[in-house]
C-alpha cells in the first residue's frame, strides 16, 4: 500500500472472529450493459492510450485508461491495479501499462472508487469495505469488457498489480477464475493485514488476521470501538482469505528493505497462496522495485499468457523509460 504512513505506536489488542457464511459480496449481474465509451488520450512509444469509462453495477461510472498495442490478432488482456494513494494516471502506473502493451497485451487500468472521488484510500470506517467490494466488482466488469473485445483472447486474461493494486489482485484472483496469471508486486494480505500483527507469532495464512491482533494504526487516537467496527467490516473481504482459492499462476515480487510492506507481512500473503502455482521473487530494494523486476514480470506473463518475450532491447527501454530509485 504505497505511501500509507505507519506510525509505530501499538494501539492495544483486538480479537477479530470469522463471520457467518453469506452470499459472495462480489456477485453482480453480468447482463447489465457496460455502456463502455473510449476517447483518444495520447500515444506513447507506439502504444495507443485511450480514456475509458463504463458502468459499475455498484453505481456510477468506472474510469481509467486503455492501452492498445499495434500488433494484430487476438491478444492477451491484462488488468492493471494502481497503488495507494494513486490512480490510473500515475506516472509509474502508466509506465507499467505501456511496458505490458509494448509486449503485446491489451491493458486496462481502472481507478479505485476512492480515487474516482479524490478521497483517501482508507478511512477506518465500514465505507472502506464497500469501496473494496466495489473495486473487485468493477475489476470483474473490466474482465467482461476485455473478454468482449474482438482483439482479446478471453482464454488469456491476466492481472498486474503494484502495492495496493497487488493486494487487491490477491483478492480478485480468489474471486474470479478467469484470471490465468497474475503478478502481485510489493503486496500484503489487505488492510487488516497491513495495520496489524497476530499476537500468536507462529500464526500463518488467514490465522494472522483472526483472533488477538496487535494494531499499529496511523490515527493515534482511533477509538477501540471504531477500530472494532472497521475490522469486522473488512474481515470478510480481506485478500489473504481469498488467495488460497485461486487457480491462477502467481508471481509475487517483494522487497527485503520495504518500508511500506514489511517482508514479514509480504511473506504471510505468499504463505496463504497455493504453493503449487506460486513463484516468489525477493529484491534487495525498498517498496519501489528495481527495473529488472518489471522485466521478470513480463517474462512470467510471456510464459503464462503469451506476451512477447522481453529482449535486451526491451530491458534498455525500461531503464530509459522508468527512473530507478
Amino acid at each position: 500500500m504505497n505511501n500509507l504512513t505507519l506510525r509505530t505506536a501499538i494501539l492495544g489488542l483486538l480479537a477479530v472472529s470469522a463471520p457467518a457464511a453469506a452470499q459472495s459480496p462480489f456477485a453482480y449481474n453480468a447482463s447489465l450493459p457496460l455502456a463502455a465509451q473510449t476517447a483518444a488520450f495520447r500515444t506513447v512509444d507506439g502504444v495507443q492510450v485511450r480514456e475509458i469509462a463504463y458502468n459499475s453495477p455498484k453505481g456510477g461510472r468506472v474510469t481509467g485508461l486503455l492501452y492498445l498495442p499495434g500488433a494484430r490478432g487476438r491478444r492477451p488482456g491484462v488488468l492493471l491495479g494502481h497503488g495507494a494513494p494513486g490512480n490510473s494516471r500515475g506516472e509509474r502506473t502508466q509506465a507499467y501499462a505501456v511496458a505490458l502493451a509494448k509486449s503485446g497485451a491489451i491493458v486496462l487500468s481502472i481507478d479505485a472508487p476512492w480515487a474516482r472521488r479524490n478521497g483517501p484510500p482508507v478511512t477506518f470506517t465500514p465505507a472502506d469495505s464497500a469501496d473494496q467490494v466495489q473495486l473487485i466488482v468493477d475489476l470483474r466488469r473490466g474482465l467482461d469488457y476485455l473478454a468482449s473485445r474482438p482483439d482479446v483472447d478471453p482464454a488469456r486474461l491476466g492481472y498486474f498489480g503494484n502495492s495496493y493494486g497487488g493486494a487487491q489482485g490477491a483478492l480478485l484472483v480468489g474471486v474470479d477464475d478467469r484470471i490465468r496469471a497474475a503478478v502481485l508486486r510489493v503486496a500484503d494480505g489487505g488492510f487488516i493485514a497491513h495495520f496489524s500483527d497476530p499476537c500468536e507469532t507462529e500464526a500463518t495464512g488467514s490465522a494472522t488476521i483472526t483472533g488477538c491482533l496487535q494494531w499499529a494504526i496511523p490515527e493515534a487516537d482511533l477509538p477501540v470501538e471504531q477500530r472494532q467496527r472497521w475490522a469486522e467490516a473488512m474481515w470478510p473481504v480481506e485478500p489473504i482469505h481469498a488467495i488460497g482459492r485461486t487457480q491462477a499462476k502467481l508471481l509475487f515480487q517483494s522487497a527485503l528493505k520495504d518500508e511500506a510492506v514489511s517482508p514479514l507481512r509480504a511473506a504471510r500473503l505468499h504463505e496463504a497462496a497455493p504453493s503449487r502455482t506460486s513463484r516468489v521473487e525477493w529484491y534487495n530494494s525498498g517498496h519501489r522495485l528495481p527495473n529488472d523486476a518489471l522485466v521478470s514480470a513480463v517474462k512470467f506473463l510471456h510464459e503464462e499468457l503469451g506476451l512477447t518475450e522481453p529482449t535486451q532491447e526491451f530491458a534498455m527501454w525500461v531503464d530509459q523509460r522508468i527512473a530507478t530509485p
Side-chain angles (χ1 to χ4, degrees):
M1 291 148 193
N2 192 21
N3 296 329
L4 282 175
T5 304
L6 280 177
R7 296 178 187 172
T8 57
I10 298 297
L11 301 180
L13 306 179
L14 172 67
V16 178
S17 301
Q23 182 182 9
S24 169
F26 309 109
Y28 66 96
N29 184 353
S31 67
L32 294 174
L34 279 165
Q37 295 179 322
T38 69
F41 181 53
R42 63 175 182 155
T43 299
V44 182
D45 293 339
V47 173
Q48 182 185 160
V49 187
R50 298 184 65 81
E51 296 176 323
I52 186 169
Y54 57 84
N55 289 338
S56 169
K58 296 293 185 178
R61 296 279 282 173
V62 181
T63 56
L65 295 174
L66 179 68
Y67 297 77
L68 304 173
R72 294 183 177 181
R74 301 183 92 186
R75 314 300 306 165
V78 176
L79 289 175
L80 191 150
H82 63 74
N87 55 44
S88 65
R89 299 191 183 216
E91 180 180 355
R92 283 190 168 252
T93 298
Q94 290 195 58
Y96 299 149
V98 171
L100 294 170
K102 279 180 65 68
S103 301
I106 308 292
V107 182
L108 174 60
S109 175
I110 69 168
D111 299 313
W114 48 262
R116 300 205 293 269
R117 62 175 182 267
N118 295 316
V122 59
T123 62
F124 299 106
T125 70
D128 296 335
S129 178
D131 271 356
Q132 188 152 300
V133 169
Q134 178 159 11
L135 174 60
I136 297 304
V137 171
D138 292 346
L139 287 168
R140 298 189 73 190
R141 289 301 269 163
L143 291 173
D144 293 342
Y145 171 76
L146 288 173
S148 73
R149 290 182 60 93
D151 54 359
V152 171
D153 181 353
R156 292 189 289 161
L157 297 176
Y159 184 86
F160 180 105
N162 196 71
S163 193
Y164 170 82
Q168 298 309 304
L171 179 53
L172 178 66
V173 298
V175 169
D176 200 308
D177 60 9
R178 289 175 291 178
I179 299 289
R180 179 170 162 181
V183 178
L184 308 179
R185 295 159 51 95
V186 290
D188 56 24
F191 276 135
I192 293 178
H194 187 74
F195 290 111
S196 72
D197 291 297
C199 298
E200 175 52 62
T201 58
E202 301 302 316
T204 61
S206 294
T208 60
I209 61 166
T210 301
C212 176
L213 301 178
Q214 302 179 75
W215 289 88
I217 289 181
E219 283 68 10
D221 57 348
L222 189 67
V224 172
E225 294 79 8
Q226 179 182 343
R227 191 170 67 228
Q228 179 79 41
R229 288 193 301 273
W230 176 77
E232 289 176 349
M234 296 302 297
W235 199 94
V237 296
E238 278 282 286
I240 200 168
H241 293 312
I243 196 168
R245 298 192 294 268
T246 188
Q247 298 298 312
K249 297 292 183 66
L250 303 177
L251 173 62
F252 294 101
Q253 296 184 319
S254 298
L256 295 169
K257 300 176 181 177
D258 199 325
E259 68 284 359
V261 173
S262 71
L264 180 60
R265 288 173 177 164
R268 290 172 185 157
L269 179 63
H270 305 166
E271 293 164 359
S275 59
R276 68 187 183 282
T277 57
S278 302
R279 182 190 311 176
V280 179
E281 295 178 348
W282 287 99
Y283 291 87
N284 189 32
S285 72
H287 196 62
R288 181 175 290 184
L289 295 177
N291 286 342
D292 58 337
L294 178 57
V295 176
S296 179
V298 171
K299 183 177 180 181
F300 168 78
L301 294 175
H302 155 71
E303 296 167 355
E304 302 298 336
L305 299 181
L307 270 66
T308 302
E309 185 172 11
T311 61
Q312 185 61 36
E313 181 181 5
F314 175 80
M316 292 175 62
W317 174 87
V318 169
D319 283 337
Q320 293 171 354
R321 181 71 171 77
I322 304 177
T324 54

